[in-house]
């Protein structure tokens, strides 16, 4: 019945079917086949991940920018990889509380979807980011890096070379706020004062 309903959704740009537990992989492909203008899909707390994947329907949807898939316990790496292939222009991906995905697939997603600006992995026990290279990401802000440092509790190395929007005080805050950090490549303008510098270098290799 849902597949038949989707036939009438040709002009849809956003859909929210969160909480519909019986909607699975087939429902997602029914939406995509019939709604070529979609830029946002919300399928939180559904049955996405259940059922076969219609490989003949694996086409690229350049217009899709936001994919909300929080609290989907059936999601696995192969399905996430498929989404990364199909939606290369994604800017937002919410996988919070998706316990079946691994840290390896997150790396693949970031490679295939370079435009991602918001990635939510809250309450995912497997993805434990340890290394992050942000060199030459000129537009990255202190707000974005602060969220990263606060949420990535296993982060050990971060490269911030040529990230000129980050202040010296913020770089020092980052080291003290994330004890797991052991190596940090600083922006070119970073200069710690003598007392602070000694303390920073004891806690984290700064280069």
């Amino acid at each position: 019945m849902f597949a038949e309903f989707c036939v009438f959704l040709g002009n849809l740009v956003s859909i929210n079917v969160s909480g519909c537990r019986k909607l699975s992989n087939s429902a997602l492909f029914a939406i995509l086949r019939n709604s070529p203008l979609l830029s946002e899909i919300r399928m939180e707390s559904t049955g996405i991940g259940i059922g076969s994947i219609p490989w003949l329907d694996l086409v690229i949807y350049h217009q899709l920018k936001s994919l909300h898939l929080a609290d989907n316990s059936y999601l696995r790496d192969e399905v996430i990889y498929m989404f990364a292939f199909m939606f290369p222009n994604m800017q937002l991906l919410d996988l919070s509380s998706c316990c079946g995905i691994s840290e390896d697939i997150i790396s693949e997603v970031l490679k295939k979807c370079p435009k991602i600006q918001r990635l939510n992995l809250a309450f995912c026990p497997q993805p434990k980011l340890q290394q992050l290279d942000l060199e030459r990401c000129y537009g990255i802000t202190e707000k974005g890096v602060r969220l990263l440092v606060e949420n990535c509790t296993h982060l050990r190395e971060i490269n911030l070379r040529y990230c000129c929007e980050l202040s010296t005080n913020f770089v020092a805050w980052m080291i003290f706020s994330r004890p797991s950090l052991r190596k940090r490549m600083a922006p070119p303008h970073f200069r710690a004062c003598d007392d602070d510098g000694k303390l920073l270098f004891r806690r984290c290799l700064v280069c």
Side-chain angles (χ1 to χ4, degrees):
M1 290 180 64
F2 184 78
E4 295 175 2
F5 171 70
C6 287
V7 174
F8 303 98
L9 304 179
N11 293 321
L12 210 63
V13 295
S14 176
I15 188 169
N16 186 351
V17 290
S18 298
C20 299
R21 294 284 183 181
K22 293 185 178 181
L23 295 186
S24 60
N25 291 341
S26 61
L28 173 65
F29 281 96
I31 295 169
L32 292 171
R33 278 194 301 268
N34 293 282
S35 305
L37 303 179
L38 266 180
S39 62
E40 179 185 48
I41 295 177
R42 287 183 172 271
M43 288 190 73
E44 301 160 316
S45 304
T46 63
I48 190 83
I50 298 176
S52 60
I53 297 173
W55 296 104
L56 293 177
D57 286 343
L58 290 189
V59 297
I60 295 177
Y61 297 87
H62 294 283
Q63 76 286 352
L64 196 128
K65 302 297 193 300
S66 300
L67 189 59
H68 302 260
L69 300 174
D71 192 27
N72 279 297
S73 58
Y74 297 103
L75 271 180
R76 297 295 182 267
D77 286 0
E78 58 270 20
V79 179
I80 300 299
Y81 186 87
M82 175 188 69
F83 292 154
F85 168 79
M86 296 172 63
F87 313 132
N89 292 326
M90 268 196 301
Q91 298 177 9
L92 182 152
L93 177 61
D94 185 356
L95 296 173
S96 55
S97 300
C98 294
C99 302
I101 60 175
S102 71
E103 57 188 53
D104 293 333
I105 196 58
I106 300 305
S107 175
E108 291 299 319
V109 168
L110 294 174
K111 289 177 184 177
K112 292 187 175 297
C113 304
K115 296 184 180 180
I116 283 186
Q117 300 176 6
R118 297 179 61 190
L119 177 63
N120 191 346
L121 300 174
F123 307 109
C124 293
Q126 300 302 326
K128 298 175 181 178
L129 187 67
Q130 296 186 12
Q131 296 176 305
L132 183 63
D133 187 352
L134 295 173
E135 184 170 337
R136 300 184 188 276
C137 293
Y138 304 110
I140 196 167
T141 64
E142 292 186 0
K143 179 180 179 181
V145 179
R146 183 181 295 272
L147 287 172
L148 173 80
V149 172
E150 290 174 346
N151 289 284
C152 297
T153 58
H154 296 268
L155 190 65
R156 296 181 62 84
E157 297 182 17
I158 186 168
N159 183 356
L160 297 171
R161 283 177 178 163
Y162 306 106
C163 297
C164 299
E165 298 295 321
L166 307 181
S167 67
T168 295
N169 290 337
F170 176 77
V171 173
W173 168 87
M174 181 175 60
I175 294 174
F176 288 118
S177 299
R178 180 49 56 219
S180 63
L181 268 176
R182 292 295 177 265
K183 182 178 180 181
R184 184 190 53 72
M185 284 159 274
H189 58 274
F190 177 74
R191 296 290 184 275
C193 64
D194 290 341
D195 292 339
D196 288 343
K198 291 178 182 178
L199 183 56
L200 289 173
F201 290 132
R202 281 202 300 267
R203 300 191 60 146
C204 176
L205 174 62
V206 181
C207 52

